[in-house]
Amino acid sequence: MVKEIERAGIPVVHIATVIPISKTVGANRIIPAVAIPHPLGDPKLAKAKQKEIRKVLVEKALDALQTPIDTQTVFE
Amino acid sequence: MAKYKIVHYLNQFFGQIGGEEEANIAPKVEDGSIGPGNAFNNALGDKAEIVKTIICGDSYFNENKDEVQAAIKEKLNEINPDMVIAGPAFNAGRYGMACGGVAEVAYELGITVVSGIYPENPGYDMYKQYAYFVETSDSAAGMRSALPNMADLVKTYIEKEGELGLPEEEGYLPRGIRKNIFADQRGSKRAVEMLVAKLKDKDFKSEYPMPNFDRVDPVDPLENVKDAKIALVTSGGIVPKGNPDHIESSSASKYGKYSIDEIYEMTPETHETAHGGYDPVYANEDPNCVLPVDVLRDMENDGKIGKLHDYYYSTVGNGTSVANAKAYAQEIAQELQEDGVQAVILTST
């Protein structure tokens, strides 16, 4: 899906946990997520803390969308 | 000839421990065969026997790959089998990656691996050189043919003492490796014959199929995210409570487009996940952990992004065929363009 959206000319950032799969499906901008069932949160933590983690990930994603790249890039 | 000693790798489901709620279990070893392993033992007769079964949760494997691979390596060293059978994994992405990851470790130890997989499973492309992957259907409904096909390959491998023929002769998927063989005709003659056949529009078979690198070059970045309209898309199956479009929990035949205009955060009362390929407890408790609407709304209010698009798109990326996913995304991309969306955040589970 990432590939087809990017093919249409829209920059996409993929937030995903299993990075090798993200690379195989052809995502160019990749943000490693927390875990498979909760990519943008960690149920072990309090709600407010979870939202902070989520905010950091989304900020990384927005930075990635503004970063020029030549090839598949994982933004750690 | 002594009976071949086989170790079988299974996920938590086929290892009969449980469903998605058990996808987080660490690897463990059981004596003998379990589930599909029993059928393998019957089919293999006096040639080979599954002596141990290694079981690991699909999420656990993929989230802790290095640790699990090291543990499995140690266990294989202890058991010292003649062969490993992994799966079959069908089109289950995490399971396919796990079977491939097991194959990689076994390969390093010089142990042959037979597995079963649907060719679109990312585990095949990533790990094809480490195992003999038998082609299976996309779902476990194909177990009845997958098991005998895999058992046949194991038997042939034993009979031929490891000297298997070409993939299409023996019934396994190409491994992308080259082997020296003696041909009847020299290369120049074979090449000219191929060319003549091509010119005559006749069938011919390349001896070196070109790899299919379907890559899209990165699009130019956003100049300023503060002015941009951003849309959310997910393969994590987040839908309005009750799943109004009845998006299937696996092999989804559709995607949904849902309004988030006036929605400031996802709540368990308004949204849930339709995805059947991961433990839904967390996403149902707090759908924002798959679709970060809450954070993006805050950013919109703070002027950090221009606008969060009024709609989000969702499907279930669980066993969904590449062709379907491609078609959904093409339609979605066209609508997003028409709506003036400048960038997409796509989340996957």
Side-chain angles (χ1 to χ4, degrees):
Chain A
M1 293 184 85
V2 273
K3 207 160 62 185
E4 294 313 310
I5 293 171
E6 189 122 21
R7 209 193 294 277
I10 305 172
V12 195
V13 58
H14 194 201
I15 303 181
T17 303
V18 190
I19 302 307
I21 294 187
S22 182
K23 285 187 175 167
T24 306
V25 300
N28 286 323
R29 293 177 167 88
I30 302 167
I31 310 289
V34 178
I36 293 165
H38 42 85
L40 290 125
D42 186 344
K44 287 200 295 286
L45 305 171
K47 272 217 138 173
K49 185 78 191 151
Q50 286 201 52
K51 197 170 169 183
E52 265 173 51
I53 294 179
R54 182 150 60 244
K55 192 175 165 201
V56 171
L57 285 169
V58 172
E59 276 169 352
K60 267 193 208 172
L62 295 175
D63 285 345
L65 285 170
Q66 295 177 95
T67 308
I69 52 166
D70 300 323
T71 180
Q72 290 190 303
T73 307
V74 179
F75 294 83
E76 295 286 351
Chain B
M1 195 171 58
K3 239 184 185 181
Y4 249 57
K5 203 160 87 177
I6 294 180
V7 165
H8 192 196
Y9 177 80
L10 291 170
N11 71 355
Q12 80 285 351
F13 179 73
F14 291 105
Q16 299 184 349
I17 293 176
E20 282 303 327
E21 73 286 358
E22 299 289 349
N24 258 309
I25 59 155
K28 58 183 204 171
V29 182
E30 300 284 351
D31 287 330
S33 61
I34 292 171
N38 297 328
F40 279 131
N41 269 350
N42 286 337
L44 294 170
D46 56 359
K47 288 210 161 56
E49 186 183 6
I50 292 169
V51 292
K52 299 270 182 191
T53 302
I54 300 178
I55 304 166
C56 181
D58 280 337
S59 287
Y60 193 90
F61 195 111
N62 282 278
E63 289 172 3
N64 308 282
K65 180 172 165 257
D66 294 346
E67 175 209 316
V68 176
Q69 281 190 313
I72 287 178
K73 193 170 195 171
E74 200 177 299
K75 280 163 184 161
L76 289 178
N77 262 328
E78 274 168 33
I79 305 164
N80 191 26
D82 299 302
M83 185 187 269
V84 170
I85 296 180
F90 306 101
N91 198 19
R94 289 170 308 166
Y95 193 17
M97 294 293 278
C99 287
V102 170
E104 187 182 26
V105 169
Y107 180 87
E108 284 167 13
L109 297 174
I111 303 166
T112 299
V113 180
V114 169
S115 187
I117 205 158
Y118 182 65
E120 284 186 0
N121 189 319
Y124 166 60
D125 196 49
M126 183 116 10
Y127 294 105
K128 61 186 170 197
Q129 68 270 43
Y130 301 120
Y132 293 100
F133 283 107
V134 171
E135 179 170 352
T136 70
S137 66
D138 60 350
S139 79
M143 186 66 92
R144 240 174 29 178
S145 54
L147 292 176
N149 289 345
M150 287 170 69
D152 283 349
L153 186 64
V154 172
K155 283 192 274 190
T156 310
Y157 183 90
I158 295 171
E159 272 160 28
K160 295 191 174 178
E161 292 173 2
E163 298 296 322
L164 283 180
L166 293 170
E168 61 267 33
E169 292 166 14
E170 309 283 14
Y172 62 91
L173 288 163
R175 306 169 75 202
I177 54 175
R178 274 196 268 179
K179 236 180 178 173
N180 288 325
I181 54 161
F182 285 102
D184 299 338
Q185 307 283 351
R186 66 178 187 268
S188 53
K189 189 159 189 289
R190 303 202 304 274
V192 169
E193 278 168 1
M194 249 186 257
L195 180 63
V196 170
K198 185 173 183 175
L199 290 170
K200 286 183 178 166
D201 276 334
K202 282 188 182 156
D203 286 344
F204 69 94
K205 196 165 153 269
S206 171
E207 292 175 15
Y208 187 64
M210 287 294 116
N212 176 18
F213 289 121
D214 181 24
R215 285 281 177 264
V216 175
D217 288 337
V219 175
D220 286 342
L222 285 176
E223 280 184 14
N224 193 348
V225 73
K226 289 193 176 75
D227 305 323
K229 189 191 215 183
I230 294 176
L232 277 170
V233 179
T234 186
S235 63
I238 299 295
V239 291
K241 190 94 180 169
N243 190 10
D245 294 323
H246 308 290
I247 297 177
E248 299 89 341
S249 60
S250 94
S251 305
S253 69
K254 51 177 108 68
Y255 63 89
K257 175 187 184 181
Y258 304 109
S259 173
I260 42 171
D261 190 20
E262 308 281 311
I263 289 182
Y264 294 93
E265 61 173 345
M266 301 305 227
T267 67
E269 289 75 38
T270 58
H271 291 81
E272 63 183 357
T273 181
H275 203 294
Y278 65 87
D279 187 346
V281 171
Y282 314 107
N284 286 341
E285 258 170 31
D286 184 3
N288 296 289
C289 77
V290 177
L291 201 73
V293 173
D294 56 350
V295 165
L296 281 159
R297 277 289 177 228
D298 289 350
M299 290 178 169
E300 188 182 40
N301 289 334
D302 297 345
K304 288 184 183 158
I305 61 167
K307 184 175 169 40
L308 176 61
H309 186 43
D310 287 341
Y311 295 90
Y312 79 90
Y313 293 83
S314 178
T315 191
V316 165
N318 177 24
T320 305
S321 76
V322 172
N324 275 351
K326 193 171 168 168
Y328 304 160
Q330 282 168 348
E331 287 178 28
I332 293 168
Q334 198 186 341
E335 285 196 16
L336 292 174
Q337 270 178 324
E338 287 164 8
D339 290 338
V341 167
Q342 285 143 302
V344 167
I345 297 177
L346 197 150
T347 63
S348 289
T349 45

